[in-house]
Amino acid sequence: MGADFVYASSYVRSQERKLLSGEQFRNMTESKNIDDICKILQDAGYGSEGNALTAANYQDVLKQAEASFFAEVKELSKSSKALDIFCYPADYHNLKVLLKSEALGVDRDELLMESGTVSTGDMSKSVRERDTMLLTENMIRALDEAVAVHARSNDPQMIDFVCDKYCFADIGEAAAKSKNDFVEGYVALWIDTINLKTFARVKKMGQPWKYFENVFISGGSVDMQVFLDSYDEDFKQAADRFLPYDIAKAVNDGGEAIDTGGNFTMLEKICDNLLVEYSRGAKTVTFGLEPLVAYLIARQNEIKAIRIVLAGKLAKMSPDLIRERLRETYE
C-alpha cells in the first residue's frame, strides 16, 4: 500500500518544512506588534495577495487555509476515506451550529465550516428541511436524537454531546475501514482524550455518573468502567487507575490543575500534546498513508496555535500566559 503514496508522501514531507517552529511561535508571543505577527503568518502561507491575513480577518483566513489543506491532501490520497476522520468534525460542528440556531431562532451561518464531507449548503438543507439523503447514517441518528434530547432538556450542551458521540462513530468506522494501525491507534487515543475531557467537565458540573454513561464515546482504549470507578474520587486518587493507558499524564498533571484550581487549560493542552506526540510516529514511515495523516494533524495543531497567539494578543494577554496555552509543534 505504501507504494501507492510515493508522490503524496514525498510532497507532504516537503510541506512539513514549511510548518512554523516552536521557536517562531515563542517569538510571536514576545512581539509587541500584531501586524508583524500577521506578516510572519502571511509569509508562511496564510492569506494571499488579494486577501492578506490581518487581525480583523484572521478567523476567516484560517478557516479557508484549513479547508485548503484538507482538499489538497485528500486529492493526494487518491480520495482515501481514512482522511474523512479529519472532515467529520467539521460536518458535526455544522450540525451543532444549525441545530442550536434552529432552537434559538437565529441565523449563524457565518460559523459554518467548509472542510466537511457534506457541503455547508447541503448540511443546511438537511437540517432545515429534514432532507437527510446526503447524510451518513450516524449523522441522521445525531440529528434525530439531538432534537429529541434538546426538546426534553432544553440544554444546548446536550446537542454537543449527542453530536460528538455520533461524530466519533463515523470517525471510528472510517478508521476501521482504513485497515491502518497508525490511523486506528490515533483515533483510539483521540477518543480517550475526548472522554477524559468530558469526564472532567461532567464531574465539575456535579452530574451523576449515569449522565457520563450517556455521553461516553466508545472506541477508545480506556473502558467506561475505568472512568466510572473513578467518578467519586478526585484526580489524584484516580490517577493510578489510568497508569496502563496513554492518557495517564493528562489524568495526573491535568487532573491536579483541576483539583487545585479548577483550571481545565492544562488538561486540554496535555491531551492535545499527546496526539501530536503520537503523530510523530509517522516520521519513521517513508511512504504510506501515515505521513499524510500526520501532516494534517500538524496543520490542525498549527492553526490552533495561531488562533491562541492572535486571540491572546488581541486580548492583551501577557506573553507568558499565551505561551502557557501553546501546544507542542510537530517538529
Side-chain angles (χ1 to χ4, degrees):
M1 184 171 176
D4 294 337
F5 292 96
V6 171
Y7 171 76
S9 300
S10 300
Y11 177 79
V12 297
R13 292 294 189 218
S14 69
Q15 295 302 105
E16 283 175 5
R17 292 195 285 272
K18 299 179 183 179
L19 290 166
L20 294 163
S21 67
E23 183 179 0
Q24 285 176 294
F25 275 111
R26 286 188 289 274
N27 290 339
M28 281 189 272
T29 65
E30 295 292 343
S31 176
K32 293 180 171 55
N33 188 331
I34 198 165
D35 290 336
D36 289 343
I37 297 173
C38 290
K39 177 67 168 57
I40 292 170
L41 297 173
Q42 179 83 19
D43 291 343
Y46 291 95
S48 61
E49 286 187 14
N51 186 29
L53 185 146
T54 66
N57 74 353
Y58 79 90
Q59 291 286 18
D60 287 338
V61 170
L62 292 179
K63 279 171 64 176
Q64 290 168 14
E66 190 169 27
S68 176
F69 293 138
F70 281 135
E72 182 179 46
V73 176
K74 195 76 185 280
E75 184 176 346
L76 287 168
S77 72
K78 309 180 191 300
S79 298
S80 169
K81 289 293 182 182
L83 296 185
D84 284 347
I85 66 173
F86 297 103
C87 301
Y88 286 133
D91 289 320
Y92 283 89
H93 164 84
N94 293 341
L95 191 53
K96 292 175 190 177
V97 169
L98 291 163
L99 287 172
K100 290 178 183 178
S101 297
E102 180 179 88
L104 295 171
V106 298
D107 185 339
R108 299 305 308 274
D109 284 4
E110 75 277 6
L111 298 178
L112 299 178
M113 299 172 65
E114 295 289 353
S115 51
T117 63
V118 180
S119 72
T120 55
D122 287 335
M123 184 64 80
S124 296
K125 180 180 178 182
S126 296
V127 173
R128 289 165 182 159
E129 300 179 15
R130 299 299 192 261
D131 178 358
T132 58
M133 185 170 57
L134 296 176
L135 305 186
T136 67
E137 289 298 320
N138 286 313
M139 289 176 196
I140 296 169
R141 293 187 190 103
L143 174 57
D144 292 341
E145 189 174 320
V147 169
V149 170
H150 183 264
R152 290 196 303 269
S153 67
N154 201 31
D155 180 359
Q157 193 169 37
M158 289 307 300
I159 292 175
D160 291 338
F161 285 143
V162 169
C163 287
D164 285 345
K165 179 174 68 174
Y166 286 107
C167 176
F168 278 94
D170 267 330
I171 288 171
E173 288 175 13
K177 287 176 183 175
S178 77
K179 297 185 179 356
N180 183 287
D181 291 343
F182 178 82
V183 173
E184 293 185 76
Y186 176 77
V187 168
L189 178 58
W190 189 7
I191 290 171
D192 286 338
T193 63
I194 295 292
N195 281 331
L196 176 57
K197 288 185 282 188
T198 301
F199 175 74
R201 291 193 186 97
V202 169
K203 276 168 60 73
K204 185 72 174 177
M205 290 162 58
Q207 294 288 353
W209 59 267
K210 278 284 186 186
Y211 188 98
F212 179 71
E213 274 191 334
N214 291 330
V215 297
F216 177 82
I217 299 169
S218 60
S221 301
V222 186
D223 188 79
M224 179 168 59
Q225 195 59 47
V226 178
F227 289 102
L228 295 181
D229 288 344
S230 310
Y231 208 78
D232 295 323
E233 302 172 334
D234 60 29
F235 279 98
K236 185 176 181 180
Q237 293 171 306
D240 284 352
R241 299 183 195 278
F242 292 87
L243 285 176
Y245 305 102
D246 290 337
I247 59 170
K249 179 177 173 59
V251 174
N252 188 67
D253 297 354
E256 182 181 359
I258 295 171
D259 286 342
T260 57
N263 187 340
F264 285 77
T265 302
M266 179 63 73
L267 177 68
E268 292 172 347
K269 176 178 177 176
I270 295 173
C271 284
D272 286 346
N273 285 345
L274 288 173
L275 293 170
V276 173
E277 288 168 17
Y278 179 92
S279 72
R280 292 188 185 122
K283 291 186 176 185
T284 63
V285 179
T286 306
F287 303 120
L289 183 61
E290 292 87 346
L292 278 68
V293 171
Y295 174 68
L296 283 179
I297 295 168
R299 279 298 188 187
Q300 280 189 318
N301 190 60
E302 179 171 276
I303 288 170
K304 183 179 290 187
I306 293 169
R307 287 194 173 106
I308 289 171
V309 170
L310 291 178
K313 287 296 181 183
L314 289 170
K316 302 190 183 307
M317 290 167 57
S318 71
D320 286 345
L321 191 53
I322 296 173
R323 278 196 300 274
E324 246 178 59
R325 299 185 177 199
L326 285 175
R327 279 58 169 159
E328 292 182 11
T329 53
Y330 182 67
E331 63 189 326

